[in-house]
Amino acid sequence: MASSHKDLVVLGIETSCDDTAASVVRREGDGGCRILSDEVWTDHGDHAAFGGVVPEIAARSHVERLDVTIEKAIRASGLSFDDIDAVAATAGPGLVGGVMVGLTTAKAICLAHSKPLLAVNHLEGHALSARMTEVAAFPYLLLLISGGHTQLIWVAGLGDYRRLGTTIDDAAGEAFDKTAKLLGLGQPGGPRIEAAAVKGRADRYDFPKPLARRAGCDFSFSGLKTAVREAAQSMAAPSQADIADIAASFQFAAARHLAQRTERAMEMAEGEPRRLVVAGGVAANGVVKSMLGSICERKDWALIAPPIKYCTDNGAMIAWAGAERLAAGMAPPIAEVLALAPRARWPLAPPPEGAEIGGGRKGPKA
Ligand code: KG4
Ligand code: ZN
């Protein structure tokens, strides 16, 4: 595989969910990363009345905001289109209307400015994002916990991924979001649950341990969701304190589930370098992070957690994944990328043989 030793500047575009994001990133010849600009437009308000992301609203707002967001990212980087070596855009998986807006815009920029185009898998963006700000040499174990995905992936190298586990129903973030909705806490659910849980008792409810007797490291959140609903419905008029207790007990059970399955994956990776990278919005959760930290300490693994702004969806991770591919000589001919259609589903790694099909709002069930 060819490898570039010169600096490469890439514009990244991310539109796979409700965040409209663009960023300019420089990959230095020695593999270092400089994020020159990082613009993101998020407006949960537009979706709030519906209790979740509405694909049609998201696609329309990408159309309205993407050009301005790209312009801001270019301006903030202090560079011009002429200084950019390539454009990278999320081509899936995700809400297809939004992906279409980002990918089509990227195609137009590349045609107008004669630049290479990289169609990036959003999951690869998350998988490589820690390498922008942390020392995270290949290989490592990745725990990706977002609103659309919950996966344990062995990242052997660039483009070389092996899936060890996935959710068989909801994604972790989706479980936080649905629980918040059920408890009337509003959206985005994860931060609302975390805030409500601060004043709650995590030991009031003994919520189930999903898949406790099942081998492997798949995840499941639907049983937890049912248990939360039953707890909430067991009271005629739950008080603020009751809601805080349910939120805290749910958060504890969800974090324990994530930590226990990750521990199994660590055992499967025996003999490999002991590095765990976390990515995705749920990695922002303090209880999740501290449980993963305890396991890593006990098993003598390094826990690599990038700053939260790079854990959640962002344009920099897409630019960076594009830059890593470009540096490795993996940019396909422009005609090939121009012919690419956006993909609602695009697994990063094939499921292990005999594994169940995973879910999540951007997963195969979507
Ligand atoms: O990675 P991300 O920004 O977007 C997706 O690709 O889905 O993740 C968003 C998800 C949402 O489900 C949100 O509720 C969850 O991450 N999240 C959290 C927290 N902050 C965001 N979940 C638990 N605790 C948090 N503090
Ligand atoms: Zn994401």
Side-chain angles (χ1 to χ4, degrees):
M1 193 184 290
S3 169
S4 168
H5 295 289
K6 65 181 181 72
D7 287 6
L8 294 169
V9 179
V10 176
L11 165 69
I13 296 173
E14 160 58 35
T15 54
S16 68
C17 195
D18 56 340
D19 295 320
T20 307
S23 163
V24 177
V25 165
R26 177 187 292 128
R27 186 189 184 279
E28 286 159 355
D30 61 1
C33 171
R34 278 185 59 105
I35 298 165
L36 304 179
S37 66
D38 180 29
E39 298 292 327
V40 56
W41 179 287
T42 312
D43 192 352
H44 296 294
D46 288 352
H47 302 271
F50 303 91
V53 175
V54 184
E56 177 67 18
I57 295 179
R60 280 169 187 262
S61 62
H62 291 310
V63 170
E64 284 163 17
R65 289 159 188 163
L66 185 57
D67 54 352
V68 182
T69 309
I70 292 173
E71 197 189 349
K72 274 190 182 168
I74 297 281
R75 204 175 328 120
S77 73
L79 302 177
S80 73
F81 275 112
D82 288 343
D83 304 312
I84 287 181
D85 292 295
V87 180
T90 300
L95 301 173
V96 84
V99 177
M100 202 179 291
V101 174
L103 187 58
T104 307
T105 305
K107 286 177 181 178
I109 295 172
C110 288
L111 281 175
H113 296 274
S114 305
K115 306 281 179 193
L117 172 61
L118 295 116
V120 170
N121 183 316
H122 180 83
L123 301 177
E124 184 171 59
H126 279 302
L128 303 176
S129 63
R131 290 164 57 81
M132 294 192 290
T133 54
E134 318 297 314
V135 178
F138 297 130
Y140 51 79
L141 177 64
L142 171 77
L143 173 65
L144 170 58
I145 37 179
S146 71
H149 305 279
T150 300
Q151 301 198 348
L152 279 157
I153 295 172
W154 185 253
V155 179
L158 181 60
D160 187 359
Y161 311 108
R162 190 156 52 92
R163 202 177 84 187
L164 304 179
T166 189
T167 178
I168 60 169
D169 40 58
D170 290 344
E174 195 178 10
F176 272 89
D177 294 340
K178 286 181 178 172
T179 300
K181 188 174 174 188
L182 194 97
L183 298 178
L185 294 171
Q187 300 294 318
R192 301 283 178 104
I193 293 270
E194 188 166 15
V198 169
K199 294 199 197 93
R201 276 176 39 210
D203 61 355
R204 172 157 164 202
Y205 293 94
D206 187 16
F207 287 140
K209 289 183 178 156
L211 308 179
R213 278 192 291 278
R214 197 163 119 158
C217 32
D218 280 342
F219 301 87
S220 169
F221 289 93
S222 64
L224 261 181
K225 196 175 60 189
T226 307
V228 166
R229 187 179 323 111
E230 282 168 1
Q233 288 174 349
S234 70
M235 290 170 268
S239 66
Q240 291 293 85
D242 293 328
I243 299 223
D245 290 346
I246 297 176
S249 303
F250 162 78
Q251 177 174 254
F252 175 79
R256 177 179 60 190
H257 180 45
L258 290 169
Q260 286 178 342
R261 307 309 278 189
T262 304
E263 188 170 3
R264 287 217 177 146
M266 288 169 157
E267 281 153 13
M268 284 165 73
E270 204 49 65
E272 300 281 359
R274 297 158 170 254
R275 288 188 280 268
L276 172 68
V277 170
V278 286
V282 182
N285 187 280
V287 175
V288 169
K289 232 189 305 194
S290 89
M291 281 201 202
L292 292 172
S294 310
I295 286 180
C296 283
E297 211 175 297
R298 180 154 44 79
K299 296 185 91 68
D300 193 23
W301 276 55
L303 176 63
I304 302 169
I308 282 316
K309 65 188 281 204
Y310 302 124
C311 275
T312 55
D313 286 351
N314 64 88
M317 71 179 190
I318 302 303
W320 175 249
E324 291 238 68
R325 284 190 167 260
L326 191 63
M330 292 162 80
I334 186 80
E336 215 174 276
V337 196
L338 288 176
L340 269 182
R343 298 176 66 169
R345 299 176 182 192
W346 185 2
L348 186 59
E353 231 161 274
E356 284 185 44
I357 301 298
R361 72 172 181 242
K362 283 186 250 169
K365 228 174 61 176

